[in-house]
Amino acid sequence: MRNLFLTNTLTRKKELFVPINPGHVGMYVCGPTVYGDAHLGHARPGVTYDVLFKLLKLLGYKVRYVRNITDVGHLEHDADEGEDKIAKKARLEELEPMEVVQTYTERYHDAMRLLNVASPSIEPRASGHIIEQIEAIKKILAAGYAYESNGSVYFDVMKYNRDHNYGVLSGRTLEATLEGTRSLDGQGDKRAPYDFALWKKAEPQHIMRWPSPWGEGFPGWHLECSVMGEKYLGYEFDIHGGGMDLMFPHHECEIAQNQASRGTSGVRYWVHNNMITINGQKMGKSLGNFITLPELFSGNHKLLEKAYSPMTIRFFILQAHYRSTLDFSNEALQASEKGYKRLMQAGRDLKDIATAPGEASAQVLDIVEAVMDALCDDLNTPIAIANLSEAVKLINMSKDKKATLTDGDKKALLKLFDEVVYGVLGLVDEDAAGGSGKAEKALEGAMEIVLEDRRKARAAKDWAESDRIRDLLKASGITVKDTKDGATWTLE
């Protein structure tokens, strides 16, 4: 089996990946909090860990991939204070919280399918594991690393830090953590401002609440991943992934909870993807540069010059190393679109190229080896794509009769496209005529999302927004017609 190297955030080194159980890999990735449409920030980890999942399977591992859904306990201000994000959405839209969860979980799944992100092996929800979270809190209390206060239970960070190292993942000291802790109302229940909630007492107006030994309340945000990781992958498992913004406090708190409740930090390899910026700025609603995936697919955002297909977005993400900051711009996306289409065209041309008898040449075998070496070197997708460009040049030269591929060359390149381009990199040929139908399904899924946004605009009598979406689709070659049964669409 080919060696795979991963950068382990815990050790800050690139390490040879050696699974706990030979041939089997346990991988946990922090999924979304489902209170709104999936956005660019969801796309990057979605694609990154999809590539890792598919690469591990190509290398011959059996992978149990767990990606959670956060549907309770993630509060608006920070991990411990403010209104639950889902409860707030439910209150504003006059819905039950689980209606919000169901709606946006389905929309998240739709967006991931359009990006050709494979479904995980298991996708547990935090609200489905309340009993397990209560039991974990009992263990942490019994170990002496938590305390009850006014119906809530908090993790005692200072006591834990005396016995272990709170900051082992992020590199933060307790003093630095204290300096960065926000002063918020309600922290009077804590012994120290850096202590974090394991269980929060539900105030009278709080919608989402469960009975517990400490009174009615709800679990802290950090606890769910510790509990579900243990339940589905065991006391210790191979890989835990997520965005770099989760390293502190979320993943740091996970390690502390794991150590306190079961005597082990729980994870061998911590892997973190970096953030997406937009024209050099951090993405945020307050800055007006927050772009959802439906907006990207429809072009319906003031920062977008046009609509971008799901595979253009995926290729754009793959062109940067997952640990590097990825800066979004129309220029970068349009360059990605050209690169993606060039690669797909080469894949189509390869199938029809006439060959000469013979084994695979050293040149082709070197390209195949270089692509796989790059992927196994900490998922270096930009270097893999650079080497695939060499394959594209060779295919184009053969198509133009300036070079000749052997039977072995064609076989090796077809396998490379099948296993890596369409497999590990997960790129779907959206322009393939009479192909597998994936492009058609992707378009249908994208249009469902876009027309739902337009339906909401019409229901709110926002005719300007409704017309804006229709006109953008028209410019992209899609005609929308309103009927008594709803909107229909056709390709021009």
Side-chain angles (χ1 to χ4, degrees), residues 82-159:
E83 189 173 6
D84 186 292
K85 293 181 178 182
I86 290 169
K88 180 180 179 181
K89 187 79 171 181
R91 176 174 57 78
L92 293 174
E93 297 191 4
E94 297 182 343
L95 299 170
E96 281 293 322
M98 288 304 143
E99 285 184 90
V100 173
V101 168
Q102 188 67 17
T103 296
Y104 289 107
T105 297
E106 288 181 358
R107 289 171 74 96
Y108 171 77
H109 287 157
D110 287 343
M112 292 302 107
R113 276 193 290 270
L114 292 172
L115 291 170
N116 198 29
V117 170
S119 298
S121 314
I122 304 171
E123 192 173 49
R125 295 185 181 187
S127 63
H129 297 77
I130 300 296
I131 293 172
E132 293 91 337
Q133 292 180 78
I134 288 172
E135 291 304 309
I137 295 169
K138 289 178 181 177
K139 290 179 183 178
I140 297 171
L141 281 165
Y145 293 115
Y147 57 90
E148 184 183 354
S149 176
N150 192 28
S152 296
V153 180
Y154 293 98
F155 193 93
D156 192 332
V157 172
M158 184 175 288
K159 182 170 182 182

Coordinates of all heavy atoms in Angstrom, one line a residue, residues 82-159:
G82 N -25.7 33.6 24.7 CA -26.5 34.0 23.5 C -27.6 33.0 23.2 O -27.8 32.1 23.9
E83 N -28.4 33.3 22.1 CA -29.5 32.5 21.7 C -29.0 31.4 20.8 O -28.1 31.6 20.0 CB -30.5 33.3 21.0 CG -31.9 32.6 20.8 CD -32.9 33.6 20.2 OE1 -32.6 34.7 19.9 OE2 -34.1 33.1 20.1
D84 N -29.6 30.2 21.0 CA -29.3 29.1 20.1 C -29.6 29.5 18.6 O -30.7 30.1 18.3 CB -30.2 27.9 20.4 CG -29.8 26.6 19.6 OD1 -30.1 26.6 18.4 OD2 -29.3 25.7 20.2
K85 N -28.7 29.3 17.7 CA -28.8 29.8 16.3 C -30.0 29.2 15.6 O -30.7 29.9 14.9 CB -27.5 29.4 15.5 CG -26.3 30.2 16.0 CD -25.1 29.9 15.2 CE -23.9 30.7 15.6 NZ -22.7 30.5 14.8
I86 N -30.3 27.9 15.9 CA -31.5 27.3 15.3 C -32.7 27.8 15.9 O -33.7 28.0 15.2 CB -31.3 25.7 15.3 CG1 -30.2 25.3 14.4 CG2 -32.6 25.1 15.0 CD1 -29.8 23.9 14.5
A87 N -32.7 27.9 17.2 CA -33.9 28.4 17.9 C -34.3 29.8 17.5 O -35.4 30.2 17.3 CB -33.7 28.4 19.4
K88 N -33.2 30.6 17.3 CA -33.5 32.0 16.8 C -34.1 32.0 15.4 O -35.1 32.7 15.2 CB -32.2 32.8 16.8 CG -32.3 34.2 16.3 CD -31.0 35.0 16.2 CE -31.3 36.4 15.7 NZ -30.0 37.2 15.7
K89 N -33.6 31.2 14.5 CA -34.2 31.1 13.2 C -35.6 30.6 13.2 O -36.5 31.1 12.5 CB -33.3 30.1 12.3 CG -33.7 30.0 10.9 CD -33.2 31.2 10.1 CE -33.3 31.0 8.6 NZ -32.7 32.1 7.8
A90 N -35.9 29.6 14.1 CA -37.2 29.1 14.3 C -38.2 30.2 14.8 O -39.3 30.3 14.3 CB -37.2 27.9 15.2
R91 N -37.7 31.0 15.8 CA -38.5 32.1 16.3 C -38.9 33.1 15.2 O -40.0 33.5 15.1 CB -37.8 32.7 17.5 CG -38.5 33.9 18.1 CD -37.8 34.4 19.4 NE -36.5 34.7 19.2 CZ -36.0 35.9 18.6 NH1 -36.9 36.8 18.1 NH2 -34.7 36.1 18.4
L92 N -37.8 33.5 14.5 CA -38.0 34.5 13.5 C -39.0 34.1 12.3 O -39.7 34.9 11.8 CB -36.7 34.9 12.9 CG -35.7 35.7 13.8 CD1 -34.4 35.9 13.2 CD2 -36.3 37.0 14.3
E93 N -38.9 32.8 12.0 CA -39.7 32.3 10.9 C -41.0 31.6 11.4 O -41.7 31.0 10.5 CB -38.9 31.3 10.0 CG -37.7 32.0 9.4 CD -37.0 31.1 8.3 OE1 -37.5 30.0 8.0 OE2 -36.0 31.6 7.8
E94 N -41.2 31.6 12.7 CA -42.4 31.0 13.3 C -42.5 29.5 12.9 O -43.6 29.0 12.4 CB -43.7 31.7 12.9 CG -43.7 33.2 13.4 CD -44.9 33.9 13.1 OE1 -45.7 33.5 12.2 OE2 -45.2 35.0 13.7
L95 N -41.4 28.8 13.1 CA -41.4 27.4 12.8 C -40.9 26.6 14.1 O -40.4 27.2 15.0 CB -40.3 27.1 11.7 CG -40.6 27.7 10.3 CD1 -39.4 27.5 9.4 CD2 -41.8 27.1 9.7
E96 N -41.1 25.3 14.1 CA -40.5 24.5 15.1 C -39.0 24.4 14.8 O -38.7 24.3 13.6 CB -41.2 23.1 15.0 CG -42.5 23.0 15.7 CD -42.4 23.2 17.2 OE1 -41.4 22.7 17.8 OE2 -43.3 23.8 17.8
P97 N -38.2 24.3 15.8 CA -36.7 24.2 15.5 C -36.4 23.1 14.6 O -35.5 23.2 13.7 CB -36.1 24.0 16.9 CG -37.1 24.7 17.8 CD -38.4 24.4 17.2
M98 N -37.0 21.9 14.7 CA -36.7 20.8 13.9 C -37.2 20.9 12.4 O -36.7 20.3 11.5 CB -37.2 19.5 14.5 CG -36.4 19.1 15.7 SD -34.6 18.9 15.4 CE -33.9 19.6 16.9
E99 N -38.1 21.8 12.2 CA -38.5 22.2 10.8 C -37.3 22.9 10.2 O -37.0 22.7 9.0 CB -39.7 23.1 10.8 CG -41.0 22.4 11.1 CD -42.2 23.3 10.9 OE1 -42.7 23.4 9.8 OE2 -42.6 23.9 11.9
V100 N -36.7 23.8 10.9 CA -35.5 24.6 10.5 C -34.4 23.6 10.1 O -33.8 23.6 9.1 CB -35.1 25.6 11.5 CG1 -33.7 26.2 11.1 CG2 -36.1 26.7 11.7
V101 N -34.2 22.7 11.1 CA -33.1 21.7 10.9 C -33.3 20.8 9.7 O -32.4 20.6 8.9 CB -33.0 20.7 12.2 CG1 -32.2 19.5 11.9 CG2 -32.5 21.5 13.4
Q102 N -34.6 20.3 9.5 CA -34.9 19.5 8.4 C -34.7 20.2 7.0 O -34.1 19.7 6.1 CB -36.3 18.9 8.5 CG -36.7 17.9 7.4 CD -35.9 16.6 7.6 OE1 -35.3 16.3 8.6 NE2 -35.8 15.8 6.5
T103 N -35.2 21.5 7.0 CA -35.1 22.2 5.8 C -33.7 22.5 5.3 O -33.3 22.2 4.2 CB -35.8 23.6 5.9 OG1 -37.2 23.4 6.2 CG2 -35.6 24.5 4.7
Y104 N -32.9 22.9 6.3 CA -31.5 23.3 5.9 C -30.5 22.1 5.8 O -29.5 22.2 5.2 CB -31.0 24.4 6.8 CG -31.7 25.7 6.5 CD1 -32.6 26.3 7.4 CD2 -31.4 26.4 5.3 CE1 -33.3 27.4 7.1 CE2 -32.1 27.6 5.0 CZ -33.0 28.1 5.9 OH -33.7 29.2 5.6
T105 N -30.9 21.0 6.5 CA -30.1 19.8 6.3 C -30.3 19.3 4.9 O -29.3 18.9 4.2 CB -30.5 18.7 7.3 OG1 -30.3 19.2 8.7 CG2 -29.7 17.4 7.1
E106 N -31.5 19.3 4.4 CA -31.8 18.9 3.1 C -31.1 19.8 2.0 O -30.5 19.3 1.0 CB -33.3 18.8 2.8 CG -34.0 17.7 3.5 CD -35.5 17.6 3.2 OE1 -36.0 18.5 2.5 OE2 -36.1 16.7 3.8
R107 N -31.1 21.1 2.3 CA -30.5 22.0 1.4 C -29.0 21.9 1.4 O -28.3 22.0 0.4 CB -30.9 23.5 1.7 CG -32.4 23.7 1.3 CD -32.9 25.1 1.9 NE -32.3 26.2 1.1 CZ -33.0 26.8 0.1 NH1 -34.1 26.4 -0.3 NH2 -32.4 27.9 -0.5
Y108 N -28.4 21.6 2.6 CA -27.0 21.3 2.7 C -26.6 20.1 1.9 O -25.7 20.1 1.1 CB -26.6 21.1 4.1 CG -25.2 20.6 4.4 CD1 -24.1 21.5 4.2 CD2 -25.0 19.3 4.7 CE1 -22.8 21.0 4.4 CE2 -23.7 18.8 4.9 CZ -22.6 19.7 4.8 OH -21.3 19.2 5.0
H109 N -27.5 19.0 2.0 CA -27.2 17.8 1.3 C -27.3 18.1 -0.2 O -26.5 17.5 -1.0 CB -28.2 16.7 1.7 CG -28.0 16.1 3.0 ND1 -29.0 15.5 3.8 CD2 -26.9 16.1 3.8 CE1 -28.5 15.1 4.9 NE2 -27.2 15.4 4.9
D110 N -28.3 18.9 -0.7 CA -28.4 19.2 -2.1 C -27.2 19.9 -2.6 O -26.7 19.5 -3.7 CB -29.6 20.1 -2.3 CG -31.0 19.5 -2.1 OD1 -31.0 18.2 -2.2 OD2 -32.0 20.2 -2.0
A111 N -26.7 20.8 -1.8 CA -25.4 21.6 -2.2 C -24.2 20.6 -2.3 O -23.4 20.7 -3.2 CB -25.2 22.7 -1.3
M112 N -24.1 19.7 -1.3 CA -23.0 18.8 -1.3 C -23.1 17.8 -2.5 O -22.1 17.5 -3.1 CB -22.9 18.0 0.0 CG -22.5 18.9 1.2 SD -20.9 19.7 1.1 CE -21.5 21.4 0.8
R113 N -24.3 17.4 -2.8 CA -24.5 16.5 -4.0 C -24.1 17.2 -5.3 O -23.4 16.6 -6.2 CB -25.9 16.0 -4.1 CG -26.2 14.8 -3.2 CD -27.6 14.2 -3.6 NE -28.7 15.1 -3.2 CZ -29.3 15.0 -2.1 NH1 -28.9 14.2 -1.1 NH2 -30.3 15.8 -1.8
L114 N -24.4 18.5 -5.4 CA -24.0 19.2 -6.6 C -22.5 19.4 -6.7 O -22.0 19.4 -7.8 CB -24.7 20.6 -6.6 CG -26.2 20.7 -6.7 CD1 -26.7 22.1 -6.5 CD2 -26.6 20.2 -8.1
L115 N -21.8 19.5 -5.6 CA -20.4 19.5 -5.6 C -19.7 18.1 -5.7 O -18.5 18.0 -5.6 CB -19.9 20.2 -4.3 CG -20.2 21.7 -4.1 CD1 -19.9 22.2 -2.7 CD2 -19.4 22.5 -5.2
N116 N -20.6 17.1 -5.8 CA -20.1 15.7 -5.9 C -19.4 15.3 -4.6 O -18.4 14.6 -4.7 CB -19.3 15.5 -7.1 CG -19.2 14.0 -7.5 OD1 -20.1 13.2 -7.1 ND2 -18.1 13.6 -8.1
V117 N -19.8 15.8 -3.5 CA -19.3 15.3 -2.2 C -20.0 14.1 -1.8 O -21.2 14.1 -1.6 CB -19.4 16.5 -1.2 CG1 -19.0 16.0 0.2 CG2 -18.5 17.6 -1.5
A118 N -19.3 13.0 -1.5 CA -19.9 11.8 -1.2 C -20.6 11.9 0.2 O -20.1 12.6 1.1 CB -18.9 10.6 -1.2
S119 N -21.7 11.1 0.4 CA -22.3 11.1 1.7 C -21.4 10.3 2.7 O -20.7 9.4 2.3 CB -23.6 10.3 1.6 OG -24.5 11.0 0.8
P120 N -21.3 10.8 4.0 CA -20.5 10.0 4.9 C -21.1 8.7 5.2 O -22.3 8.4 4.9 CB -20.6 11.0 6.2 CG -21.9 11.7 6.0 CD -22.1 11.9 4.6
S121 N -20.4 7.8 5.9 CA -20.9 6.5 6.3 C -22.0 6.7 7.3 O -23.0 5.9 7.3 CB -19.7 5.7 6.9 OG -18.6 5.8 6.2
I122 N -21.8 7.6 8.3 CA -22.8 7.9 9.3 C -22.9 9.4 9.5 O -21.9 10.1 9.5 CB -22.3 7.3 10.7 CG1 -22.1 5.8 10.5 CG2 -23.4 7.6 11.8 CD1 -21.4 5.1 11.8
E123 N -24.1 9.9 9.6 CA -24.3 11.4 9.8 C -25.2 11.6 11.0 O -26.4 11.9 10.9 CB -24.9 12.0 8.5 CG -24.9 13.5 8.6 CD -25.3 14.1 7.2 OE1 -26.4 13.7 6.7 OE2 -24.6 15.0 6.7
P124 N -24.6 11.6 12.2 CA -25.4 11.7 13.4 C -25.8 13.1 13.7 O -25.1 14.1 13.3 CB -24.5 11.1 14.5 CG -23.2 11.4 14.0 CD -23.2 11.3 12.5
R125 N -26.9 13.3 14.5 CA -27.3 14.7 14.9 C -27.1 14.8 16.4 O -27.3 13.9 17.1 CB -28.8 14.9 14.6 CG -29.1 15.0 13.1 CD -30.6 15.3 12.9 NE -30.9 15.4 11.5 CZ -32.1 15.8 11.0 NH1 -33.0 16.2 11.8 NH2 -32.3 15.8 9.7
A126 N -26.7 16.0 16.8 CA -26.5 16.2 18.2 C -27.7 16.0 19.1 O -27.7 15.4 20.2 CB -26.0 17.7 18.5
S127 N -28.9 16.4 18.5 CA -30.2 16.2 19.3 C -30.5 14.7 19.5 O -31.3 14.4 20.3 CB -31.3 17.0 18.6 OG -31.5 16.4 17.3
G128 N -30.0 13.9 18.6 CA -30.3 12.4 18.8 C -29.4 11.7 19.8 O -29.5 10.5 19.9
H129 N -28.5 12.5 20.4 CA -27.5 11.9 21.4 C -27.5 12.6 22.7 O -26.4 12.8 23.3 CB -26.1 11.8 20.7 CG -26.1 11.0 19.5 ND1 -26.6 11.4 18.3 CD2 -25.6 9.7 19.2 CE1 -26.4 10.5 17.3 NE2 -25.9 9.4 17.9
I130 N -28.6 13.1 23.1 CA -28.7 13.8 24.4 C -28.3 12.9 25.6 O -27.6 13.3 26.5 CB -30.1 14.4 24.6 CG1 -30.4 15.4 23.5 CG2 -30.2 15.1 26.0 CD1 -29.5 16.6 23.4
I131 N -28.9 11.6 25.6 CA -28.6 10.7 26.7 C -27.1 10.4 26.8 O -26.5 10.5 27.9 CB -29.4 9.4 26.4 CG1 -30.9 9.6 26.5 CG2 -28.9 8.3 27.4 CD1 -31.7 8.4 26.2
E132 N -26.5 10.2 25.6 CA -25.0 9.9 25.7 C -24.2 11.2 26.2 O -23.2 11.0 26.9 CB -24.5 9.6 24.3 CG -25.0 8.2 23.8 CD -26.3 8.3 23.0 OE1 -27.1 9.3 23.1 OE2 -26.6 7.4 22.2
Q133 N -24.7 12.4 25.8 CA -24.0 13.6 26.3 C -24.2 13.7 27.8 O -23.2 14.1 28.5 CB -24.5 14.8 25.5 CG -24.1 14.7 24.1 CD -24.6 15.9 23.3 OE1 -24.0 17.0 23.3 NE2 -25.6 15.8 22.5
I134 N -25.3 13.4 28.3 CA -25.6 13.5 29.8 C -24.7 12.5 30.5 O -24.0 12.8 31.5 CB -27.0 13.2 30.1 CG1 -27.9 14.5 29.7 CG2 -27.2 13.0 31.6 CD1 -29.4 14.2 29.8
E135 N -24.5 11.3 29.9 CA -23.7 10.3 30.6 C -22.2 10.7 30.5 O -21.4 10.5 31.5 CB -23.8 8.9 29.8 CG -25.2 8.3 30.1 CD -25.5 8.1 31.6 OE1 -24.6 7.5 32.3 OE2 -26.6 8.5 32.0
A136 N -21.8 11.4 29.5 CA -20.4 11.9 29.4 C -20.2 12.9 30.4 O -19.1 13.0 31.1 CB -20.1 12.4 28.0
I137 N -21.1 13.8 30.7 CA -21.0 14.9 31.7 C -20.9 14.2 33.1 O -20.0 14.7 33.9 CB -22.2 15.8 31.6 CG1 -22.2 16.6 30.3 CG2 -22.2 16.8 32.8 CD1 -23.5 17.3 30.1
K138 N -21.6 13.2 33.3 CA -21.5 12.5 34.6 C -20.1 12.0 34.8 O -19.5 12.1 35.9 CB -22.5 11.3 34.7 CG -24.0 11.7 34.8 CD -24.9 10.5 34.8 CE -26.3 10.8 34.9 NZ -27.2 9.6 34.8
K139 N -19.5 11.4 33.8 CA -18.1 10.9 33.9 C -17.1 12.0 34.2 O -16.2 11.9 35.0 CB -17.7 10.2 32.6 CG -18.5 8.9 32.4 CD -18.0 8.2 31.0 CE -18.8 6.9 30.8 NZ -18.4 6.3 29.4
I140 N -17.3 13.2 33.5 CA -16.4 14.3 33.7 C -16.5 14.8 35.1 O -15.5 15.2 35.8 CB -16.6 15.4 32.6 CG1 -16.3 14.8 31.2 CG2 -15.8 16.6 32.9 CD1 -16.7 15.7 30.1
L141 N -17.8 14.9 35.6 CA -18.0 15.3 37.0 C -17.3 14.4 38.0 O -16.7 14.8 38.9 CB -19.5 15.4 37.3 CG -20.2 16.7 36.7 CD1 -21.7 16.4 36.8 CD2 -19.9 17.9 37.6
A142 N -17.5 13.1 37.7 CA -16.9 12.1 38.6 C -15.4 12.1 38.6 O -14.8 11.8 39.7 CB -17.4 10.7 38.2
A143 N -14.8 12.5 37.5 CA -13.4 12.6 37.4 C -12.9 13.9 38.1 O -11.6 14.1 38.2 CB -12.9 12.6 36.0
G144 N -13.8 14.8 38.4 CA -13.4 16.0 39.1 C -13.0 17.2 38.2 O -12.5 18.2 38.7
Y145 N -13.4 17.1 36.9 CA -13.0 18.2 36.0 C -14.2 19.0 35.6 O -14.1 19.7 34.6 CB -12.3 17.6 34.8 CG -11.0 17.0 35.1 CD1 -10.8 15.6 34.9 CD2 -9.9 17.7 35.5 CE1 -9.5 15.0 35.2 CE2 -8.7 17.2 35.8 CZ -8.5 15.8 35.6 OH -7.3 15.3 35.9
A146 N -15.3 19.0 36.3 CA -16.4 19.8 36.0 C -17.1 20.1 37.3 O -16.9 19.5 38.4 CB -17.3 19.1 35.1
Y147 N -18.0 21.1 37.3 CA -18.8 21.5 38.5 C -20.1 22.0 38.0 O -20.3 22.5 36.9 CB -18.0 22.6 39.2 CG -17.7 23.9 38.4 CD1 -18.6 24.9 38.4 CD2 -16.5 24.0 37.7 CE1 -18.3 26.1 37.6 CE2 -16.2 25.1 37.0 CZ -17.1 26.2 36.9 OH -16.8 27.3 36.2
E148 N -21.1 21.9 38.9 CA -22.5 22.3 38.7 C -22.6 23.7 39.2 O -22.1 24.0 40.3 CB -23.5 21.4 39.3 CG -24.9 21.8 39.0 CD -25.9 20.8 39.7 OE1 -25.5 19.8 40.3 OE2 -27.1 21.1 39.6
S149 N -23.3 24.6 38.5 CA -23.6 25.9 39.0 C -24.9 26.4 38.5 O -25.1 26.6 37.3 CB -22.4 26.9 38.5 OG -22.7 28.2 38.9
N150 N -25.9 26.6 39.4 CA -27.2 27.2 39.1 C -27.9 26.4 37.9 O -28.4 27.1 37.0 CB -27.0 28.7 38.7 CG -28.3 29.4 38.7 OD1 -29.3 29.0 39.4 ND2 -28.4 30.4 37.9
G151 N -27.8 25.1 37.9 CA -28.5 24.3 36.9 C -27.7 24.1 35.7 O -28.1 23.4 34.8
S152 N -26.5 24.7 35.6 CA -25.6 24.4 34.4 C -24.4 23.7 34.9 O -24.1 23.6 36.1 CB -25.1 25.8 33.8 OG -26.2 26.5 33.2
V153 N -23.7 23.0 34.0 CA -22.5 22.3 34.3 C -21.3 22.9 33.5 O -21.5 22.9 32.2 CB -22.6 20.8 34.1 CG1 -21.3 20.1 34.5 CG2 -23.8 20.2 34.9
Y154 N -20.2 23.2 34.1 CA -19.1 23.8 33.4 C -17.8 22.9 33.5 O -17.6 22.3 34.6 CB -18.8 25.2 33.9 CG -19.9 26.2 33.5 CD1 -20.9 26.5 34.5 CD2 -20.0 26.8 32.3 CE1 -21.9 27.4 34.2 CE2 -21.0 27.7 32.0 CZ -21.9 28.0 32.9 OH -22.9 28.9 32.6
F155 N -17.0 22.9 32.5 CA -15.7 22.3 32.6 C -14.7 23.1 33.3 O -14.6 24.3 33.0 CB -15.2 22.0 31.1 CG -14.1 21.0 31.1 CD1 -14.3 19.7 30.9 CD2 -12.8 21.5 31.2 CE1 -13.2 18.8 30.8 CE2 -11.7 20.6 31.2 CZ -11.9 19.2 31.0
D156 N -14.0 22.6 34.3 CA -13.0 23.3 35.1 C -11.7 23.3 34.3 O -10.9 22.4 34.5 CB -12.9 22.7 36.5 CG -12.1 23.5 37.4 OD1 -11.3 24.3 37.0 OD2 -12.4 23.4 38.7
V157 N -11.4 24.3 33.5 CA -10.3 24.4 32.7 C -9.0 24.5 33.5 O -8.0 23.8 33.2 CB -10.4 25.5 31.7 CG1 -9.0 25.7 30.9 CG2 -11.5 25.3 30.7
M158 N -9.0 25.3 34.6 CA -7.8 25.5 35.4 C -7.4 24.2 36.0 O -6.2 23.8 36.0 CB -8.0 26.6 36.5 CG -6.7 26.9 37.3 SD -6.9 28.2 38.4 CE -7.0 29.6 37.3
K159 N -8.3 23.4 36.6 CA -8.0 22.2 37.2 C -7.4 21.2 36.2 O -6.5 20.5 36.4 CB -9.2 21.6 38.0 CG -8.8 20.3 38.7 CD -9.9 19.8 39.6 CE -9.5 18.5 40.3 NZ -10.6 18.0 41.2

